[in-house]
């Protein structure tokens, strides 16, 4: 099964530039690339920071772009989003009984869970008792199926001090305790990081990918403000089967040449 992950498009109203790039143009190019190459994907997950400041106009811009996507998609919130504005433009977005934008979806290969880790108005993430109760119920009714978890904020330190201070700070241990009884959580997919990372947290593998707009610079020491970068935008192509999960990181604006051994200039 193929799943696509897009993250952190940070759309702004009126299709303006932001941090030296045009988020609207970049997300549009990303969707075109997916349409060209991955129409066989079962789902496209956009893992938060859909908007840069949560304006309704930016969600309308997202709606305009997503008209070009033929595969089903699932929208998640990040720390830059405003739930009520997102829901006003995308009223069919699933929510839990407490109004958090979290949901689950059963596909043939397993159960996909999309968590809401947002504390609105704050950069750091939060996972509260209400959200944990919902997750516990979703895991309880899952049975033995494999579980794949998407969340915006990583619940662990990833070694980038400026990002670690805005990780899932409140409720990381609660999340770990809620997941612990379920032995079938296979992988966690993060947004928020704006960088490719991969690793393991409490026995669960995880990955993050670059966003479609600006990136976060690889700064392993604390700096007074977050340093962003113009490293290439990317999206993730996820392959899942009974035995494995694989994430490919695709720099969709890369236009460097392919090298084929059929080329007369090819040197083996
Ligand atoms: Fe972001």
């Amino acid at each position: 099964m193929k799943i696509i992950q897009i993250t952190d498009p940070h759309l702004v109203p009126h299709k303006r530039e932001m941090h030296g790039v045009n988020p609207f143009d970049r997300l549009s190019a990303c969707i075109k690339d997916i349409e060209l190459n991955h129409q066989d994907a079962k789902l496209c997950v956009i893992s938060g920071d859909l908007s840069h400041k949560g304006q309704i106009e930016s969600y309308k811009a997202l709606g305009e772009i997503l008209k070009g996507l033929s595969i089903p998609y699932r929208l998640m919130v990040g720390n830059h989003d405003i739930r009520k504005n997102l829901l006003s433009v995308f009223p069919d977005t699933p929510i839990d009984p407490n109004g958090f934008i979290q949901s689950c979806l059963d596909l043939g290969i397993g159960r996909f869970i999309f968590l809401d880790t947002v504390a609105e108005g704050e950069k750091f993430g939060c996972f509260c008792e209400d959200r944990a109760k919902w997750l516990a119920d979703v895991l309880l009714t899952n049975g033995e199926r494999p579980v794949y978890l998407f969340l915006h904020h990583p619940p662990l330190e990833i070694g980038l001090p400026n990002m670690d201070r805005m990780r899932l700070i409140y409720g990381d241990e609660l999340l770990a305790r809620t997941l612990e009884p379920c032995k079938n959580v296979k992988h966690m997919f993060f947004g928020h990081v704006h960088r490719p990372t991969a690793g393991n947290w409490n026995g669960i593998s995880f990955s993050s990918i670059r966003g479609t707009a600006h990136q976060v610079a690889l700064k392993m020491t604390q700096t007074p403000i977050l340093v962003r970068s113009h490293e290439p935008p990317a999206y993730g192509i996820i392959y899942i089967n009974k035995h494995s999960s694989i994430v490919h990181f695709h720099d969709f604006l890369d236009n460097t040449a392919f090298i084929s051994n059929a080329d007369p200039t090819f040197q083996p």
Side-chain angles (χ1 to χ4, degrees):
M1 178 176 291
K2 184 194 280 186
I3 307 284
I4 300 294
Q5 184 188 6
I6 296 173
T7 201
D8 293 74
H10 284 260
L11 290 167
V12 288
H14 312 303
K15 307 171 189 176
R16 288 190 300 247
E17 287 208 346
M18 202 255 312
H19 298 321
V21 300
N22 187 309
F24 185 93
D25 289 350
R26 287 199 161 187
L27 184 60
S28 300
C30 175
I31 296 297
K32 280 193 186 114
D33 197 277
I34 292 165
E35 278 296 297
L36 196 62
N37 298 296
H38 304 297
Q39 283 191 7
D40 58 336
K42 294 288 180 222
L43 182 70
C44 175
V45 182
I46 311 184
S47 48
D49 284 357
L50 311 173
S51 164
H52 189 58
K53 290 199 171 171
Q55 311 96 325
I56 287 177
E57 288 305 315
S58 58
Y59 295 118
K60 286 182 177 169
L62 177 62
E64 193 181 319
I65 296 170
L66 290 176
K67 282 180 193 159
L69 183 66
S70 60
I71 60 175
Y73 59 82
R74 185 67 54 121
L75 303 179
M76 295 174 59
V77 279
N79 49 295
H80 283 259
D81 290 302
I82 296 176
R83 291 187 191 93
K84 74 172 171 39
N85 289 353
L86 169 63
L87 292 171
S88 74
V89 178
F90 294 93
D92 296 334
T93 304
I95 57 173
D96 77 3
N98 295 301
F100 291 109
I101 299 181
Q102 52 183 18
S103 60
C104 75
L105 181 66
D106 292 332
L107 298 173
I109 202 75
R111 175 163 284 193
F112 290 76
I113 301 176
F114 313 96
L115 291 182
D116 180 331
T117 58
V118 171
E120 267 189 14
E122 303 289 355
K123 291 177 179 160
F124 57 77
C126 175
F127 191 67
C128 60
E129 294 284 351
D130 286 341
R131 282 174 267 196
K133 170 79 172 58
W134 176 87
L135 176 59
D137 289 346
V138 165
L139 293 174
L140 200 63
T141 58
N142 178 60
E144 298 298 309
R145 277 175 293 198
V147 171
Y148 303 92
L149 209 58
F150 285 80
L151 59 164
H152 186 72
H153 296 81
L156 71 156
E157 292 188 349
I158 55 167
L160 301 176
N162 284 311
M163 293 306 291
D164 288 339
R165 59 191 162 87
M166 54 173 125
R167 68 181 179 91
L168 178 54
I169 288 176
Y170 296 99
D172 53 347
E173 290 177 10
L174 176 60
L175 175 64
R177 282 201 306 278
T178 309
L179 293 174
E180 204 279 329
C182 177
K183 304 304 177 194
N184 298 324
V185 182
K186 300 295 185 187
H187 194 87
M188 307 174 85
F189 302 89
F190 303 144
H192 195 51
V193 180
H194 291 245
R195 296 205 61 78
T197 65
N200 190 290
W201 180 67
N202 294 331
I204 306 170
S205 63
F206 70 78
S207 56
S208 69
I209 58 173
R210 288 195 216 107
T212 57
H214 61 280
Q215 313 307 335
V216 167
L218 186 65
K219 297 282 183 192
M220 301 299 203
T221 54
Q222 186 90 41
T223 53
I225 54 167
L226 180 65
V227 180
R228 298 171 179 89
S229 82
H230 283 179
E231 289 164 81
Y235 66 85
I237 303 138
I238 301 158
Y239 285 103
I240 298 174
N241 66 31
K242 212 163 71 172
H243 307 290
S244 61
S245 317
I246 299 147
V247 184
H248 292 273
F249 306 87
H250 179 45
D251 299 347
F252 57 90
L253 293 186
D254 176 70
N255 59 6
T256 52
F258 291 105
I259 300 163
S260 163
N261 57 6
D263 189 317
T265 62
F266 177 75
Q267 295 176 334

